[in-house]
Amino acid sequence: MAVATQSADSKHNIQAARQAYYDKAAKFNMAPLWEVLKDLVTPEPKTLCVPAIWKFADVKRLMLEAGDVITAEEAERRVLVLENPGAKGRSRITNSLFAGIQLIMPGEIADVHRHVASAIRFVLEGEGAYTAVEGEKTMMKHGDFIITANWAPHDHGNPGTEPVMWLDVLDMPTINHFETSFAEHFEEKMQKTNYEDGDSFSRYAMGVLPDGLPAARNRSPVINYPYAKMRPILERLKRTGDIDVRHGVRVRYANPINGGPVLPTMGAYLSLMPRGFKGESYRSTDGTIFAVAEGAGTTVIDGKPFEWGVNDVFVVPPWKRYQHLIGDDDAVLFSISDRPAQEALGIWREGT
Ligand code: 1HN
C-alpha cells in the first residue's frame, strides 16, 4: 500500500515538474514536441472531414431562395458553400479544397475579377449562361468542365431565360494555407472577349498546336472541356472494354500541351460506370469531390452507403475506403481532387 501511494505521489510530482517546465518554456515561445508528436506524425492520414452528400433537390430549392434574398451583384458571387460537416465555418469541403454551388439568374452578370486561387466549374442545371475566361466567352451546358487558372480574369453572365447553376471548386484553402492570396477587380464589369466560344479547345486540343508554343506550361490552355465532346469518348472506351475495376471507364482531363493535369493544384476525371457495375474497394490520399452527371448509384464510403442521383455532390475524405455500386442504368461521375499537388510533392498514395 505504501509503495503504491509513493508511486502515485512521485507520478504527480513528475507531472507537476513537467508542467512548471512547460510554463517556463512557453514564456520563450517554446513547447515540448513530445506532448504533441503522436497527433502530428500519425501512422495513417487523419482528417477532420467526414463523408457527406448534398442532394440536388435541397441544393436547388435553397439556391433559388437565395435568388430572392440577394442579387448576384450584391453578393459579388451568389454561392452557397458546401461545408464539410466536420469543418463547419471553415469554408471547405476537404481540407485543401473549397466547393460551392453558384446561381446566376436571367439578366444577371457577375463582374470580372481575378485572384490567385484557381477555380473549376462543373455545370449542373440550366442553359443560356456564359463564363468568360481570359478573353474567351464560353456557353455553359450540363456536364461542361470549365477552368479558370490562377490569376485569369473571369466574369459570368446569363442573357438567357433560365436560372443556371454550377459547382465551383477552388484551391482557396491551399492558397490560404500558403498565405499567398491576392485578388483584384477591374474598372469594367465585363471582359472584352476577343475569342469566340470553343476557341481554346479548337486551338489547343485537336492534335495540332500553334507553332512555336512553349511546351512547359503547368496549366491547360483549354477553357471548356464540353460534355458533348467528352461523353462519346467514354462510350467508345466502354465498347472496347477499357473498364477499371474500381473507377469504371475513366478519362482524366489533360493539359493537351504536355499531358499533365489541367491545373497544378487540382485534377479532374470523368467516369462512366456501366449498369450493374460493382466497383472494387479503393482509397487514396486525395480527398475527392464527386458530382453526378448522369444516372444513379450508391457509393459506400467508410462502410456507410450514400445514394446519389443527377447533380448530387458528394465527398470522400482522404484515405477513406469507397466503392461504387451502379443500378439499372449507366452512370457518369465527374470527380476532382488535389491529386496533382500531392503528386508534385511525391506524397500521393493509393490502396485497396
Ligand atoms: C469566385 O471568384 C467564384 O468567380 C466562385 O465565380 C466561387 C469562391 C470563393 C472565392 C472566390 C467565381 C468563389 C470565388
Side-chain angles (χ1 to χ4, degrees):
M1 212 39 217
V3 174
T5 311
Q6 199 177 32
S7 103
D9 271 359
S10 73
K11 250 192 202 158
H12 180 80
N13 289 341
I14 289 167
Q15 267 321 110
R18 282 184 184 163
Q19 193 53 54
Y21 170 73
Y22 299 163
D23 293 345
K24 206 171 356 169
K27 293 202 179 82
F28 296 90
N29 300 319
M30 287 184 267
L33 174 64
W34 57 87
E35 289 289 337
V36 289
L37 186 59
K38 277 201 179 69
D39 296 325
L40 295 176
V41 184
T42 58
E44 295 216 336
K46 191 181 75 167
T47 177
L48 279 179
C49 294
V50 296
I53 187 164
W54 291 264
K55 303 293 289 179
F56 189 64
D58 301 325
V59 165
K60 182 174 175 174
R61 196 180 56 250
L62 279 160
M63 281 311 310
L64 292 173
E65 266 182 56
D68 295 334
V69 299
I70 193 160
T71 64
E73 191 162 9
E74 285 173 303
E76 184 166 349
R77 295 295 190 261
R78 190 196 286 112
V79 175
L80 278 180
V81 182
L82 303 183
E83 285 194 306
N84 192 290
K88 284 248 170 87
R90 299 184 61 205
S91 302
R92 65 195 62 197
I93 188 165
T94 66
N95 206 37
S96 62
L97 298 180
F98 165 97
I101 306 288
Q102 184 159 174
L103 165 69
I104 186 152
M105 297 296 285
E108 288 185 333
I109 60 162
D111 294 7
V112 56
H113 70 190
R114 64 175 163 185
H115 35 69
V116 165
S118 296
I120 69 90
R121 326 212 182 266
F122 188 74
V123 184
L124 300 177
E125 196 175 88
E127 285 196 14
Y130 65 83
T131 184
V133 184
E134 293 177 303
E136 176 176 331
K137 190 171 182 174
T138 188
M139 296 308 290
M140 305 174 94
K141 293 204 171 68
H142 174 78
D144 287 1
F145 171 59
I146 294 164
I147 70 167
T148 303
N150 158 14
W151 213 237
H154 54 285
D155 56 277
H156 320 297
N158 184 351
T161 55
E162 303 169 9
V164 177
M165 275 175 246
W166 62 83
L167 170 70
D168 285 311
V169 180
L170 287 91
D171 58 11
M172 187 175 58
T174 302
I175 300 305
N176 288 344
H177 169 75
F178 292 114
E179 300 179 322
T180 50
S181 171
F182 292 90
E184 70 183 24
H185 290 267
F186 292 81
E187 287 290 319
E188 63 274 24
K189 283 185 183 301
M190 294 152 92
Q191 281 173 81
K192 283 195 199 67
T193 44
N194 303 318
Y195 302 104
E196 66 196 27
D197 200 350
D199 183 279
S200 60
F201 194 98
S202 304
R203 198 179 284 249
Y204 301 110
M206 299 293 280
V208 291
L209 290 169
D211 192 23
L213 189 77
R217 246 184 134 186
N218 73 350
R219 46 149 299 203
S220 173
V222 175
I223 300 310
N224 189 350
Y225 294 74
Y227 195 61
K229 286 202 162 83
M230 303 298 124
R231 186 63 178 83
I233 299 169
L234 295 176
E235 212 55 48
R236 183 181 294 272
L237 289 169
K238 183 180 105 171
R239 278 201 302 276
T240 49
D242 292 283
I243 303 180
D244 183 272
V245 293
R246 302 140 325 159
H247 307 301
V249 176
R250 193 166 84 155
V251 291
R252 178 173 63 81
Y253 291 94
N255 175 349
I257 295 177
N258 60 12
V262 290
L263 293 163
T265 48
M266 294 188 280
Y269 295 83
L270 193 67
S271 149
L272 182 157
M273 287 174 290
R275 65 191 169 89
F277 181 75
K278 270 193 73 171
E280 287 183 9
S281 162
Y282 179 75
R283 58 179 170 168
S284 58
T285 52
D286 52 320
T288 304
I289 303 152
F290 291 90
V292 184
E294 277 179 50
T298 303
T299 299
V300 181
I301 312 171
D302 207 15
K304 205 173 143 200
F306 290 82
E307 281 181 30
W308 43 259
V310 174
N311 290 342
D312 291 351
V313 176
F314 61 96
V315 62
V316 180
W319 211 236
K320 299 295 181 204
R321 284 199 175 85
Y322 66 95
Q323 173 184 29
H324 300 302
L325 306 168
I326 308 306
D328 295 337
D329 292 306
D330 288 4
V332 180
L333 279 183
F334 167 81
S335 64
I336 179 148
S337 78
D338 63 8
R339 178 171 165 175
Q342 293 193 19
E343 285 179 324
L345 298 173
I347 58 175
W348 182 78
R349 289 200 202 188
E350 63 181 340
T352 54

